[in-house]
Amino acid sequence: MRINSNWLNASLLTLSLGIVPMASAELNIFACEPEYGAIASELAPNASVYSATTAFQDPHLVQARPSLIAKMRRADLAVCAGAQLEVGWLPMLQMKAANPAMNSTDKGLFFATDHVETLDKLDKVDRSMGDVHAEGNPHVHFSPGRMLQVARAMASKMEQLDPANAATYQANLKQFEQRWQAAIPKWEADAQVLKGKKVIGYHSSYRYLFDWLGVEQTADLEPKPGIPPSSSHLASLLSRAKQGDISAIVVASYQDRRGADWLAERTGLPVVVLPMTVGGDDQSTDMFGLYSSVIGKLKGTVQ
């Protein structure tokens, strides 16, 4: 039997890159966070998508549970935020899963922040600064422009892993782009009333949302990133709030709101609990619903 040398060379190259052709199978996708699972589902609606975290978990702090190890072991593609958001748990998961495709962005690993410009990059980081990210704020999913860039890059990664279905991924990307670009001006018009408002936040979770909508986070419930509110720090925030220009205290769905409630009781400021990602409330069933939800909740109190 004669073997086509071109076919053989292409096959050997594919295997050397750790890419397995899946012409008759759907991608098995491991999402570190729900927002990237949601984007993956837009691009590959028939894929098996599993999210390692929920909107009620701190994505910085995850245990490498046996169920997560098993899911990553079977994954063709892992989609994560990157910029060291998962540095405390993803390496352990990769090691225990022993799936070579999950160890390199040249293969089946995808970091969203590799494909956008992040805010708040730092030239130097040390422990005295708290839980900060030298590569920039990793919570880019509240920037609509950046998320469009991420979706395009993710579609390209899917094509790399599953070239037989490249046309399908491109068609789904085009549909998503059209819907997303149509939604952005509507969100911006709806959020116009928020421009120039000042809030006290918790961590820098909504850094990109506030940057996009023109909201200013004037203070943080954390004395340093990753450090819970202390009595002395809350007292300083109380003095800041008495200046009268703060509209609300904003916390994410997974964050401890005790400090926020303490401050609210003494200032009369409303506490706004926002979903951090898809699944954070009944409206946030996808990225479109998530954006509509956070804008609506902010408008309801930041007046």
PDB file of all heavy atoms in Angstrom, residues 70-109:
ATOM      1  N   ALA A  70     -10.017  15.729  36.779  1.00  0.00           N
ATOM      2  CA  ALA A  70     -10.586  14.828  35.772  1.00  0.00           C
ATOM      3  C   ALA A  70     -11.058  15.598  34.546  1.00  0.00           C
ATOM      4  O   ALA A  70     -10.863  15.157  33.409  1.00  0.00           O
ATOM      5  CB  ALA A  70     -11.737  14.036  36.381  1.00  0.00           C
ATOM      6  N   LYS A  71     -11.675  16.764  34.767  1.00  0.00           N
ATOM      7  CA  LYS A  71     -12.162  17.569  33.642  1.00  0.00           C
ATOM      8  C   LYS A  71     -11.001  18.087  32.797  1.00  0.00           C
ATOM      9  O   LYS A  71     -11.059  18.069  31.567  1.00  0.00           O
ATOM     10  CB  LYS A  71     -13.006  18.734  34.162  1.00  0.00           C
ATOM     11  CG  LYS A  71     -14.338  18.342  34.765  1.00  0.00           C
ATOM     12  CD  LYS A  71     -15.304  17.838  33.704  1.00  0.00           C
ATOM     13  CE  LYS A  71     -16.672  17.579  34.301  1.00  0.00           C
ATOM     14  NZ  LYS A  71     -17.652  17.095  33.281  1.00  0.00           N
ATOM     15  N   MET A  72      -9.946  18.554  33.448  1.00  0.00           N
ATOM     16  CA  MET A  72      -8.799  19.065  32.695  1.00  0.00           C
ATOM     17  C   MET A  72      -8.065  17.946  31.975  1.00  0.00           C
ATOM     18  O   MET A  72      -7.523  18.140  30.885  1.00  0.00           O
ATOM     19  CB  MET A  72      -7.851  19.836  33.612  1.00  0.00           C
ATOM     20  CG  MET A  72      -6.615  20.355  32.900  1.00  0.00           C
ATOM     21  SD  MET A  72      -5.683  21.611  33.801  1.00  0.00           S
ATOM     22  CE  MET A  72      -6.610  23.094  33.361  1.00  0.00           C
ATOM     23  N   ARG A  73      -8.040  16.787  32.568  1.00  0.00           N
ATOM     24  CA  ARG A  73      -7.365  15.648  31.941  1.00  0.00           C
ATOM     25  C   ARG A  73      -7.994  15.312  30.591  1.00  0.00           C
ATOM     26  O   ARG A  73      -7.315  14.866  29.664  1.00  0.00           O
ATOM     27  CB  ARG A  73      -7.418  14.446  32.877  1.00  0.00           C
ATOM     28  CG  ARG A  73      -6.650  13.220  32.385  1.00  0.00           C
ATOM     29  CD  ARG A  73      -6.593  12.161  33.469  1.00  0.00           C
ATOM     30  NE  ARG A  73      -5.769  12.583  34.600  1.00  0.00           N
ATOM     31  CZ  ARG A  73      -6.088  12.380  35.878  1.00  0.00           C
ATOM     32  NH1 ARG A  73      -7.217  11.767  36.203  1.00  0.00           N
ATOM     33  NH2 ARG A  73      -5.272  12.785  36.834  1.00  0.00           N
ATOM     34  N   ARG A  74      -9.297  15.538  30.465  1.00  0.00           N
ATOM     35  CA  ARG A  74     -10.012  15.198  29.226  1.00  0.00           C
ATOM     36  C   ARG A  74     -10.162  16.385  28.282  1.00  0.00           C
ATOM     37  O   ARG A  74     -10.728  16.236  27.196  1.00  0.00           O
ATOM     38  CB  ARG A  74     -11.398  14.637  29.568  1.00  0.00           C
ATOM     39  CG  ARG A  74     -11.361  13.317  30.333  1.00  0.00           C
ATOM     40  CD  ARG A  74     -12.738  12.670  30.378  1.00  0.00           C
ATOM     41  NE  ARG A  74     -13.690  13.467  31.148  1.00  0.00           N
ATOM     42  CZ  ARG A  74     -13.915  13.304  32.460  1.00  0.00           C
ATOM     43  NH1 ARG A  74     -13.229  12.401  33.138  1.00  0.00           N
ATOM     44  NH2 ARG A  74     -14.805  14.045  33.079  1.00  0.00           N
ATOM     45  N   ALA A  75      -9.688  17.549  28.668  1.00  0.00           N
ATOM     46  CA  ALA A  75      -9.934  18.756  27.885  1.00  0.00           C
ATOM     47  C   ALA A  75      -9.050  18.849  26.643  1.00  0.00           C
ATOM     48  O   ALA A  75      -7.901  18.416  26.638  1.00  0.00           O
ATOM     49  CB  ALA A  75      -9.724  19.987  28.759  1.00  0.00           C
ATOM     50  N   ASP A  76      -9.620  19.411  25.600  1.00  0.00           N
ATOM     51  CA  ASP A  76      -8.871  19.760  24.393  1.00  0.00           C
ATOM     52  C   ASP A  76      -8.384  21.200  24.470  1.00  0.00           C
ATOM     53  O   ASP A  76      -7.362  21.565  23.884  1.00  0.00           O
ATOM     54  CB  ASP A  76      -9.752  19.621  23.149  1.00  0.00           C
ATOM     55  CG  ASP A  76     -10.376  18.259  23.024  1.00  0.00           C
ATOM     56  OD1 ASP A  76      -9.617  17.265  23.026  1.00  0.00           O
ATOM     57  OD2 ASP A  76     -11.621  18.162  22.937  1.00  0.00           O
ATOM     58  N   LEU A  77      -9.160  22.027  25.190  1.00  0.00           N
ATOM     59  CA  LEU A  77      -8.891  23.459  25.253  1.00  0.00           C
ATOM     60  C   LEU A  77      -9.227  23.961  26.656  1.00  0.00           C
ATOM     61  O   LEU A  77     -10.292  23.642  27.195  1.00  0.00           O
ATOM     62  CB  LEU A  77      -9.737  24.197  24.209  1.00  0.00           C
ATOM     63  CG  LEU A  77      -9.780  25.723  24.266  1.00  0.00           C
ATOM     64  CD1 LEU A  77      -8.395  26.316  24.012  1.00  0.00           C
ATOM     65  CD2 LEU A  77     -10.782  26.265  23.236  1.00  0.00           C
ATOM     66  N   ALA A  78      -8.325  24.742  27.253  1.00  0.00           N
ATOM     67  CA  ALA A  78      -8.589  25.417  28.524  1.00  0.00           C
ATOM     68  C   ALA A  78      -8.558  26.915  28.278  1.00  0.00           C
ATOM     69  O   ALA A  78      -7.587  27.434  27.708  1.00  0.00           O
ATOM     70  CB  ALA A  78      -7.548  25.034  29.576  1.00  0.00           C
ATOM     71  N   VAL A  79      -9.607  27.624  28.661  1.00  0.00           N
ATOM     72  CA  VAL A  79      -9.701  29.068  28.456  1.00  0.00           C
ATOM     73  C   VAL A  79      -9.746  29.750  29.828  1.00  0.00           C
ATOM     74  O   VAL A  79     -10.619  29.488  30.637  1.00  0.00           O
ATOM     75  CB  VAL A  79     -10.923  29.446  27.597  1.00  0.00           C
ATOM     76  CG1 VAL A  79     -10.719  28.984  26.162  1.00  0.00           C
ATOM     77  CG2 VAL A  79     -12.214  28.840  28.141  1.00  0.00           C
ATOM     78  N   CYS A  80      -8.778  30.622  30.063  1.00  0.00           N
ATOM     79  CA  CYS A  80      -8.610  31.233  31.383  1.00  0.00           C
ATOM     80  C   CYS A  80      -8.313  32.725  31.228  1.00  0.00           C
ATOM     81  O   CYS A  80      -7.975  33.197  30.144  1.00  0.00           O
ATOM     82  CB  CYS A  80      -7.465  30.563  32.129  1.00  0.00           C
ATOM     83  SG  CYS A  80      -7.626  28.765  32.290  1.00  0.00           S
ATOM     84  N   ALA A  81      -8.419  33.454  32.329  1.00  0.00           N
ATOM     85  CA  ALA A  81      -8.139  34.892  32.303  1.00  0.00           C
ATOM     86  C   ALA A  81      -6.662  35.160  32.077  1.00  0.00           C
ATOM     87  O   ALA A  81      -6.286  35.978  31.247  1.00  0.00           O
ATOM     88  CB  ALA A  81      -8.606  35.541  33.597  1.00  0.00           C
ATOM     89  N   GLY A  82      -5.816  34.495  32.858  1.00  0.00           N
ATOM     90  CA  GLY A  82      -4.386  34.765  32.765  1.00  0.00           C
ATOM     91  C   GLY A  82      -3.979  35.965  33.605  1.00  0.00           C
ATOM     92  O   GLY A  82      -4.685  36.351  34.542  1.00  0.00           O
ATOM     93  N   ALA A  83      -2.845  36.582  33.277  1.00  0.00           N
ATOM     94  CA  ALA A  83      -2.275  37.686  34.060  1.00  0.00           C
ATOM     95  C   ALA A  83      -2.150  37.295  35.523  1.00  0.00           C
ATOM     96  O   ALA A  83      -2.345  38.116  36.418  1.00  0.00           O
ATOM     97  CB  ALA A  83      -3.103  38.963  33.896  1.00  0.00           C
ATOM     98  N   GLN A  84      -1.880  36.019  35.760  1.00  0.00           N
ATOM     99  CA  GLN A  84      -1.627  35.457  37.089  1.00  0.00           C
ATOM    100  C   GLN A  84      -2.867  35.383  37.972  1.00  0.00           C
ATOM    101  O   GLN A  84      -2.744  35.142  39.180  1.00  0.00           O
ATOM    102  CB  GLN A  84      -0.521  36.237  37.814  1.00  0.00           C
ATOM    103  CG  GLN A  84       0.815  36.198  37.082  1.00  0.00           C
ATOM    104  CD  GLN A  84       1.932  36.877  37.848  1.00  0.00           C
ATOM    105  OE1 GLN A  84       1.702  37.727  38.692  1.00  0.00           O
ATOM    106  NE2 GLN A  84       3.170  36.497  37.553  1.00  0.00           N
ATOM    107  N   LEU A  85      -4.051  35.559  37.411  1.00  0.00           N
ATOM    108  CA  LEU A  85      -5.259  35.418  38.225  1.00  0.00           C
ATOM    109  C   LEU A  85      -5.343  34.023  38.817  1.00  0.00           C
ATOM    110  O   LEU A  85      -5.705  33.850  39.982  1.00  0.00           O
ATOM    111  CB  LEU A  85      -6.509  35.692  37.376  1.00  0.00           C
ATOM    112  CG  LEU A  85      -7.856  35.481  38.082  1.00  0.00           C
ATOM    113  CD1 LEU A  85      -8.023  36.451  39.250  1.00  0.00           C
ATOM    114  CD2 LEU A  85      -9.018  35.632  37.107  1.00  0.00           C
ATOM    115  N   GLU A  86      -4.977  33.006  38.041  1.00  0.00           N
ATOM    116  CA  GLU A  86      -5.094  31.617  38.480  1.00  0.00           C
ATOM    117  C   GLU A  86      -3.778  31.026  38.981  1.00  0.00           C
ATOM    118  O   GLU A  86      -3.651  29.821  39.132  1.00  0.00           O
ATOM    119  CB  GLU A  86      -5.619  30.751  37.326  1.00  0.00           C
ATOM    120  CG  GLU A  86      -6.942  31.200  36.718  1.00  0.00           C
ATOM    121  CD  GLU A  86      -6.777  32.130  35.519  1.00  0.00           C
ATOM    122  OE1 GLU A  86      -5.594  32.465  35.200  1.00  0.00           O
ATOM    123  OE2 GLU A  86      -7.777  32.518  34.910  1.00  0.00           O
ATOM    124  N   VAL A  87      -2.802  31.889  39.263  1.00  0.00           N
ATOM    125  CA  VAL A  87      -1.469  31.395  39.595  1.00  0.00           C
ATOM    126  C   VAL A  87      -1.452  30.554  40.869  1.00  0.00           C
ATOM    127  O   VAL A  87      -0.586  29.687  41.043  1.00  0.00           O
ATOM    128  CB  VAL A  87      -0.474  32.574  39.729  1.00  0.00           C
ATOM    129  CG1 VAL A  87      -0.759  33.414  40.969  1.00  0.00           C
ATOM    130  CG2 VAL A  87       0.969  32.091  39.715  1.00  0.00           C
ATOM    131  N   GLY A  88      -2.423  30.747  41.749  1.00  0.00           N
ATOM    132  CA  GLY A  88      -2.454  30.006  42.994  1.00  0.00           C
ATOM    133  C   GLY A  88      -3.000  28.597  42.889  1.00  0.00           C
ATOM    134  O   GLY A  88      -2.878  27.813  43.838  1.00  0.00           O
ATOM    135  N   TRP A  89      -3.608  28.266  41.729  1.00  0.00           N
ATOM    136  CA  TRP A  89      -4.217  26.931  41.628  1.00  0.00           C
ATOM    137  C   TRP A  89      -4.063  26.250  40.279  1.00  0.00           C
ATOM    138  O   TRP A  89      -4.033  25.030  40.198  1.00  0.00           O
ATOM    139  CB  TRP A  89      -5.701  27.003  41.981  1.00  0.00           C
ATOM    140  CG  TRP A  89      -6.517  27.969  41.157  1.00  0.00           C
ATOM    141  CD1 TRP A  89      -6.673  29.307  41.371  1.00  0.00           C
ATOM    142  CD2 TRP A  89      -7.321  27.672  40.005  1.00  0.00           C
ATOM    143  NE1 TRP A  89      -7.503  29.863  40.420  1.00  0.00           N
ATOM    144  CE2 TRP A  89      -7.925  28.882  39.577  1.00  0.00           C
ATOM    145  CE3 TRP A  89      -7.597  26.492  39.301  1.00  0.00           C
ATOM    146  CZ2 TRP A  89      -8.774  28.948  38.475  1.00  0.00           C
ATOM    147  CZ3 TRP A  89      -8.447  26.564  38.192  1.00  0.00           C
ATOM    148  CH2 TRP A  89      -9.021  27.777  37.799  1.00  0.00           C
ATOM    149  N   LEU A  90      -3.932  27.005  39.200  1.00  0.00           N
ATOM    150  CA  LEU A  90      -3.852  26.380  37.882  1.00  0.00           C
ATOM    151  C   LEU A  90      -2.608  25.508  37.702  1.00  0.00           C
ATOM    152  O   LEU A  90      -2.714  24.399  37.157  1.00  0.00           O
ATOM    153  CB  LEU A  90      -3.934  27.447  36.786  1.00  0.00           C
ATOM    154  CG  LEU A  90      -3.952  26.930  35.348  1.00  0.00           C
ATOM    155  CD1 LEU A  90      -5.118  25.972  35.115  1.00  0.00           C
ATOM    156  CD2 LEU A  90      -4.005  28.101  34.359  1.00  0.00           C
ATOM    157  N   PRO A  91      -1.405  25.933  38.141  1.00  0.00           N
ATOM    158  CA  PRO A  91      -0.237  25.061  37.978  1.00  0.00           C
ATOM    159  C   PRO A  91      -0.390  23.696  38.647  1.00  0.00           C
ATOM    160  O   PRO A  91       0.014  22.677  38.076  1.00  0.00           O
ATOM    161  CB  PRO A  91       0.888  25.882  38.617  1.00  0.00           C
ATOM    162  CG  PRO A  91       0.452  27.299  38.470  1.00  0.00           C
ATOM    163  CD  PRO A  91      -1.025  27.277  38.658  1.00  0.00           C
ATOM    164  N   MET A  92      -0.974  23.669  39.827  1.00  0.00           N
ATOM    165  CA  MET A  92      -1.198  22.392  40.506  1.00  0.00           C
ATOM    166  C   MET A  92      -2.180  21.530  39.713  1.00  0.00           C
ATOM    167  O   MET A  92      -1.988  20.312  39.572  1.00  0.00           O
ATOM    168  CB  MET A  92      -1.735  22.641  41.911  1.00  0.00           C
ATOM    169  CG  MET A  92      -2.051  21.364  42.700  1.00  0.00           C
ATOM    170  SD  MET A  92      -0.593  20.358  43.034  1.00  0.00           S
ATOM    171  CE  MET A  92       0.252  21.402  44.239  1.00  0.00           C
ATOM    172  N   LEU A  93      -3.205  22.169  39.173  1.00  0.00           N
ATOM    173  CA  LEU A  93      -4.195  21.443  38.375  1.00  0.00           C
ATOM    174  C   LEU A  93      -3.553  20.875  37.113  1.00  0.00           C
ATOM    175  O   LEU A  93      -3.804  19.721  36.737  1.00  0.00           O
ATOM    176  CB  LEU A  93      -5.342  22.395  38.014  1.00  0.00           C
ATOM    177  CG  LEU A  93      -6.663  21.784  37.578  1.00  0.00           C
ATOM    178  CD1 LEU A  93      -7.236  20.882  38.655  1.00  0.00           C
ATOM    179  CD2 LEU A  93      -7.663  22.896  37.253  1.00  0.00           C
ATOM    180  N   GLN A  94      -2.737  21.661  36.472  1.00  0.00           N
ATOM    181  CA  GLN A  94      -2.042  21.195  35.266  1.00  0.00           C
ATOM    182  C   GLN A  94      -1.149  19.993  35.573  1.00  0.00           C
ATOM    183  O   GLN A  94      -1.115  19.022  34.815  1.00  0.00           O
ATOM    184  CB  GLN A  94      -1.208  22.337  34.676  1.00  0.00           C
ATOM    185  CG  GLN A  94      -2.031  23.460  34.075  1.00  0.00           C
ATOM    186  CD  GLN A  94      -1.170  24.675  33.750  1.00  0.00           C
ATOM    187  OE1 GLN A  94      -0.420  25.164  34.599  1.00  0.00           O
ATOM    188  NE2 GLN A  94      -1.270  25.162  32.535  1.00  0.00           N
ATOM    189  N   MET A  95      -0.436  20.074  36.680  1.00  0.00           N
ATOM    190  CA  MET A  95       0.481  18.995  37.039  1.00  0.00           C
ATOM    191  C   MET A  95      -0.285  17.697  37.308  1.00  0.00           C
ATOM    192  O   MET A  95       0.087  16.621  36.811  1.00  0.00           O
ATOM    193  CB  MET A  95       1.293  19.384  38.278  1.00  0.00           C
ATOM    194  CG  MET A  95       2.309  18.336  38.697  1.00  0.00           C
ATOM    195  SD  MET A  95       3.176  18.753  40.231  1.00  0.00           S
ATOM    196  CE  MET A  95       1.852  18.545  41.438  1.00  0.00           C
ATOM    197  N   LYS A  96      -1.366  17.799  38.079  1.00  0.00           N
ATOM    198  CA  LYS A  96      -2.110  16.601  38.449  1.00  0.00           C
ATOM    199  C   LYS A  96      -2.931  16.042  37.284  1.00  0.00           C
ATOM    200  O   LYS A  96      -3.159  14.836  37.209  1.00  0.00           O
ATOM    201  CB  LYS A  96      -3.021  16.899  39.642  1.00  0.00           C
ATOM    202  CG  LYS A  96      -2.250  17.155  40.926  1.00  0.00           C
ATOM    203  CD  LYS A  96      -3.169  17.221  42.138  1.00  0.00           C
ATOM    204  CE  LYS A  96      -2.366  17.335  43.424  1.00  0.00           C
ATOM    205  NZ  LYS A  96      -3.243  17.349  44.622  1.00  0.00           N
ATOM    206  N   ALA A  97      -3.369  16.905  36.379  1.00  0.00           N
ATOM    207  CA  ALA A  97      -4.151  16.433  35.234  1.00  0.00           C
ATOM    208  C   ALA A  97      -3.283  15.669  34.247  1.00  0.00           C
ATOM    209  O   ALA A  97      -3.762  14.773  33.542  1.00  0.00           O
ATOM    210  CB  ALA A  97      -4.834  17.609  34.540  1.00  0.00           C
ATOM    211  N   ALA A  98      -2.001  16.023  34.165  1.00  0.00           N
ATOM    212  CA  ALA A  98      -1.061  15.335  33.280  1.00  0.00           C
ATOM    213  C   ALA A  98      -1.555  15.274  31.840  1.00  0.00           C
ATOM    214  O   ALA A  98      -1.426  14.259  31.162  1.00  0.00           O
ATOM    215  CB  ALA A  98      -0.778  13.924  33.799  1.00  0.00           C
ATOM    216  N   ASN A  99      -2.105  16.402  31.379  1.00  0.00           N
ATOM    217  CA  ASN A  99      -2.573  16.524  30.002  1.00  0.00           C
ATOM    218  C   ASN A  99      -1.614  17.470  29.288  1.00  0.00           C
ATOM    219  O   ASN A  99      -1.653  18.683  29.512  1.00  0.00           O
ATOM    220  CB  ASN A  99      -3.999  17.075  29.981  1.00  0.00           C
ATOM    221  CG  ASN A  99      -4.564  17.243  28.574  1.00  0.00           C
ATOM    222  OD1 ASN A  99      -3.829  17.191  27.597  1.00  0.00           O
ATOM    223  ND2 ASN A  99      -5.864  17.451  28.478  1.00  0.00           N
ATOM    224  N   PRO A 100      -0.733  16.967  28.434  1.00  0.00           N
ATOM    225  CA  PRO A 100       0.278  17.824  27.801  1.00  0.00           C
ATOM    226  C   PRO A 100      -0.297  19.027  27.065  1.00  0.00           C
ATOM    227  O   PRO A 100       0.349  20.084  27.000  1.00  0.00           O
ATOM    228  CB  PRO A 100       0.975  16.865  26.820  1.00  0.00           C
ATOM    229  CG  PRO A 100       0.742  15.503  27.387  1.00  0.00           C
ATOM    230  CD  PRO A 100      -0.620  15.558  28.010  1.00  0.00           C
ATOM    231  N   ALA A 101      -1.512  18.897  26.541  1.00  0.00           N
ATOM    232  CA  ALA A 101      -2.116  19.999  25.798  1.00  0.00           C
ATOM    233  C   ALA A 101      -2.430  21.194  26.687  1.00  0.00           C
ATOM    234  O   ALA A 101      -2.578  22.314  26.202  1.00  0.00           O
ATOM    235  CB  ALA A 101      -3.389  19.526  25.105  1.00  0.00           C
ATOM    236  N   MET A 102      -2.536  20.969  28.007  1.00  0.00           N
ATOM    237  CA  MET A 102      -2.898  22.034  28.934  1.00  0.00           C
ATOM    238  C   MET A 102      -1.699  22.813  29.460  1.00  0.00           C
ATOM    239  O   MET A 102      -1.859  23.750  30.244  1.00  0.00           O
ATOM    240  CB  MET A 102      -3.658  21.447  30.130  1.00  0.00           C
ATOM    241  CG  MET A 102      -4.954  20.730  29.790  1.00  0.00           C
ATOM    242  SD  MET A 102      -6.219  21.830  29.070  1.00  0.00           S
ATOM    243  CE  MET A 102      -6.025  21.483  27.301  1.00  0.00           C
ATOM    244  N   ASN A 103      -0.519  22.448  29.030  1.00  0.00           N
ATOM    245  CA  ASN A 103       0.696  23.047  29.586  1.00  0.00           C
ATOM    246  C   ASN A 103       1.289  24.158  28.750  1.00  0.00           C
ATOM    247  O   ASN A 103       2.273  24.779  29.156  1.00  0.00           O
ATOM    248  CB  ASN A 103       1.758  21.961  29.807  1.00  0.00           C
ATOM    249  CG  ASN A 103       1.336  20.959  30.860  1.00  0.00           C
ATOM    250  OD1 ASN A 103       0.594  21.282  31.777  1.00  0.00           O
ATOM    251  ND2 ASN A 103       1.811  19.730  30.728  1.00  0.00           N
ATOM    252  N   SER A 104       0.726  24.430  27.597  1.00  0.00           N
ATOM    253  CA  SER A 104       1.331  25.425  26.710  1.00  0.00           C
ATOM    254  C   SER A 104       0.265  26.157  25.901  1.00  0.00           C
ATOM    255  O   SER A 104      -0.685  25.541  25.411  1.00  0.00           O
ATOM    256  CB  SER A 104       2.315  24.739  25.755  1.00  0.00           C
ATOM    257  OG  SER A 104       2.751  25.627  24.756  1.00  0.00           O
ATOM    258  N   THR A 105       0.456  27.461  25.749  1.00  0.00           N
ATOM    259  CA  THR A 105      -0.450  28.241  24.902  1.00  0.00           C
ATOM    260  C   THR A 105      -0.214  27.945  23.423  1.00  0.00           C
ATOM    261  O   THR A 105      -1.010  28.362  22.579  1.00  0.00           O
ATOM    262  CB  THR A 105      -0.271  29.748  25.165  1.00  0.00           C
ATOM    263  OG1 THR A 105       1.118  30.098  25.035  1.00  0.00           O
ATOM    264  CG2 THR A 105      -0.741  30.116  26.567  1.00  0.00           C
ATOM    265  N   ASP A 106       0.858  27.245  23.103  1.00  0.00           N
ATOM    266  CA  ASP A 106       1.059  26.779  21.729  1.00  0.00           C
ATOM    267  C   ASP A 106       0.161  25.585  21.423  1.00  0.00           C
ATOM    268  O   ASP A 106      -0.004  25.218  20.256  1.00  0.00           O
ATOM    269  CB  ASP A 106       2.517  26.379  21.502  1.00  0.00           C
ATOM    270  CG  ASP A 106       3.457  27.571  21.520  1.00  0.00           C
ATOM    271  OD1 ASP A 106       2.998  28.685  21.195  1.00  0.00           O
ATOM    272  OD2 ASP A 106       4.632  27.392  21.882  1.00  0.00           O
ATOM    273  N   LYS A 107      -0.374  24.985  22.472  1.00  0.00           N
ATOM    274  CA  LYS A 107      -1.238  23.815  22.303  1.00  0.00           C
ATOM    275  C   LYS A 107      -2.664  24.171  22.707  1.00  0.00           C
ATOM    276  O   LYS A 107      -3.302  24.973  22.057  1.00  0.00           O
ATOM    277  CB  LYS A 107      -0.666  22.637  23.098  1.00  0.00           C
ATOM    278  CG  LYS A 107       0.722  22.213  22.614  1.00  0.00           C
ATOM    279  CD  LYS A 107       1.278  21.060  23.434  1.00  0.00           C
ATOM    280  CE  LYS A 107       2.689  20.697  22.959  1.00  0.00           C
ATOM    281  NZ  LYS A 107       3.274  19.593  23.762  1.00  0.00           N
ATOM    282  N   GLY A 108      -3.147  23.603  23.817  1.00  0.00           N
ATOM    283  CA  GLY A 108      -4.556  23.787  24.157  1.00  0.00           C
ATOM    284  C   GLY A 108      -4.840  24.763  25.271  1.00  0.00           C
ATOM    285  O   GLY A 108      -5.964  24.801  25.786  1.00  0.00           O
ATOM    286  N   LEU A 109      -3.870  25.574  25.665  1.00  0.00           N
ATOM    287  CA  LEU A 109      -4.054  26.535  26.747  1.00  0.00           C
ATOM    288  C   LEU A 109      -4.233  27.935  26.174  1.00  0.00           C
ATOM    289  O   LEU A 109      -3.457  28.361  25.321  1.00  0.00           O
ATOM    290  CB  LEU A 109      -2.852  26.498  27.690  1.00  0.00           C
ATOM    291  CG  LEU A 109      -2.899  27.383  28.943  1.00  0.00           C
ATOM    292  CD1 LEU A 109      -4.074  27.015  29.838  1.00  0.00           C
ATOM    293  CD2 LEU A 109      -1.574  27.272  29.705  1.00  0.00           C
TER     294      LEU A 109
END
